Amino acid sequence: MTEKFAPAVTALLDEAQELVGQEIHVELGTKKVGYIRHGQSRQVENEDGSITIFVTDITNVDYTLSHELLHLLMAHHGYPQIRFNLTTGKEMFDRQLWATAIELYNVVSHVIIGAQQQELQLVDQVAQEQYLAGILAEVPVEEDKPDRLAVFRTLALLDTLVFYHGETKLFSRQFKEKYPLSYYGAQRLYKIVAAKPVDSPFTMRRAVVNLFAAFDPWLESVGLATTNHNQLITLDGVFSARQQRLQVRQVFTILHSELTVRKGDQSAYIGIGKTDHQNAFILTAPAGKQQSADFFKHVYSQSIQEFMREQQIPFVERK
């Protein structure tokens, strides 16, 4: 890699390589559309364990590469991840639901990533203009009523509000003209994201859960089918030392689900948080009525820490 990046980006690359413990290769494309979108980069883990980050558009390499590196760093700094452990049995439907969950999760991630990019002085006036140009270029003008692109538009505009930290002077008039329904929906959802600070694994998880919970009522309000992400999508738990000592029965309700486990196609039991009503893990139970009863009796009596480690369920320790 001979391309020179801004010092702040080079430092992020060095930090990521040290944290991951593997070589990170950067491959730059030749496309240059003149605007930035978050889909202009991706990362791939290679067979030897190294990682390649592809920057497919070089309009603003420092912004795009730093954005991808910060996503990578978040995953390795103990931020909760979303996991697709369950299936409806309909592959295309599953993929649509997963894609929506990823976008909602990324919106919240971008609060943290955007703040870090601002601190590193990687979001200047040029980047702000390029971001808005990307939205106007790639988000189609709205129909008179919600269509199949309503979710795409609304989530793109929600991400825009996050990028600009809720400041709307630069685009408010244009968005009201081009995307009146979607912009209203995005503003409604942005209030959920911006209600409390998002600056740690715990606050990030809280914001994702709240956004999942707000998303279905918005879908219903525009006549679209709901997602039920609170049950379909597993979001790693974040527990304090005190919470880890509590019994499973004190923190979770374990529900039998009509959904099945993706690996093995077994009947699924979902661990739903009693406070936030979000899926934090899935289980399969042994066959046989008595064996199953004994299994759940044992599970409910365990501490959160014992249970998570015994079942090899990922979780984050709240500092």
Side-chain angles (χ1 to χ4, degrees):
M1 182 182 61
T2 59
E3 186 74 21
K4 291 183 178 180
F5 307 120
V9 180
T10 301
L12 281 177
L13 183 57
D14 291 342
E15 181 185 350
Q17 288 188 137
E18 183 176 352
L19 185 64
V20 175
Q22 294 288 347
E23 186 76 18
I24 297 177
H25 310 281
V26 178
E27 292 196 12
L28 304 180
T30 57
K31 191 175 181 181
K32 193 173 184 178
V33 295
Y35 56 76
I36 54 177
R37 296 286 287 132
H38 289 151
Q40 291 174 340
S41 62
R42 60 187 175 92
Q43 51 184 278
V44 175
E45 185 173 349
N46 304 310
E47 290 184 4
D48 63 359
S50 66
I51 294 171
T52 300
I53 294 179
F54 295 93
V55 178
T56 55
D57 186 283
I58 57 172
T59 295
N60 191 331
V61 173
D62 284 333
Y63 175 86
T64 302
L65 178 56
S66 65
H67 183 91
E68 196 66 43
L69 286 168
L70 287 166
H71 268 293
L72 180 62
L73 285 166
M74 283 185 70
H76 285 81
H77 273 310
Y79 281 83
Q81 303 297 299
I82 54 173
R83 304 180 191 277
F84 309 112
N85 294 320
L86 300 172
T87 177
T88 64
K90 301 174 183 177
E91 184 177 354
M92 288 302 296
F93 186 49
D94 283 348
R95 291 187 181 279
Q96 291 173 356
L97 294 173
W98 297 339
T100 304
I102 290 170
E103 290 300 317
L104 292 167
Y105 176 87
N106 282 342
V107 161
V108 179
S109 300
H110 293 164
V111 176
I112 296 170
I113 289 172
Q116 291 172 312
Q117 286 181 301
Q118 288 275 3
E119 187 176 330
L120 295 171
Q121 298 183 333
L122 294 169
V123 183
D124 56 14
Q125 185 176 346
V126 172
Q128 291 190 19
E129 292 171 354
Q130 290 170 338
Y131 188 97
L132 180 57
I135 292 294
L136 295 174
E138 294 197 359
V139 178
V141 174
E142 196 169 79
E143 304 288 340
D144 292 335
K145 58 183 180 179
D147 61 6
R148 61 186 180 86
L149 292 176
V151 171
F152 167 72
R153 285 192 196 91
T154 301
L155 294 185
L157 301 188
L158 173 59
D159 208 28
T160 303
L161 289 167
V162 167
F163 178 87
Y164 292 101
H165 309 286
E167 294 292 333
T168 63
K169 291 181 181 178
L170 191 62
F171 52 79
S172 185
R173 180 183 57 79
Q174 293 184 79
F175 283 10
K176 286 177 181 177
E177 291 176 356
K178 294 176 177 293
Y179 322 111
L181 293 175
S182 299
Y183 186 41
Y184 174 76
Q187 289 177 304
R188 176 173 159 183
L189 294 172
Y190 181 71
K191 289 179 180 178
I192 304 299
V193 178
K196 295 182 178 180
V198 179
D199 54 10
S200 69
F202 171 76
T203 57
M204 177 186 168
R205 187 183 193 278
R206 179 180 63 194
V208 173
V209 170
N210 290 342
L211 190 54
F212 279 174
F215 189 58
D216 276 355
W218 171 75
L219 288 171
E220 287 183 320
S221 73
V222 295
L224 297 175
T226 55
T227 60
N228 204 25
H229 282 331
N230 70 307
Q231 290 200 21
L232 176 68
I233 306 300
T234 302
L235 179 62
D236 293 347
V238 180
F239 307 110
S240 66
R242 183 192 67 82
Q243 288 173 315
Q244 290 178 53
R245 293 192 293 270
L246 296 176
Q247 289 185 317
V248 171
R249 72 175 75 252
Q250 294 175 279
V251 181
F252 291 103
T253 300
I254 300 176
L255 303 176
H256 184 254
S257 174
E258 294 180 359
L259 303 169
T260 54
V261 180
R262 286 178 66 197
K263 295 180 180 179
D265 198 35
Q266 295 171 280
S267 182
Y269 290 83
I270 305 175
I272 299 291
K274 287 191 172 183
T275 302
D276 62 19
H277 311 293
Q278 176 63 46
N279 169 350
F281 62 84
I282 63 161
L283 289 174
T284 56
K289 187 174 181 179
Q290 188 58 51
Q291 292 93 326
S292 180
D294 291 343
F295 171 74
F296 284 112
K297 183 178 179 180
H298 170 67
V299 164
Y300 271 123
S301 67
Q302 287 184 294
S303 71
I304 293 294
Q305 186 182 78
E306 290 171 338
F307 166 70
M308 293 289 183
R309 290 180 177 174
E310 182 177 292
Q311 297 294 328
Q312 298 182 319
I313 295 169
F315 72 94
V316 177
E317 184 169 349
R318 184 178 178 184
K319 305 297 184 182

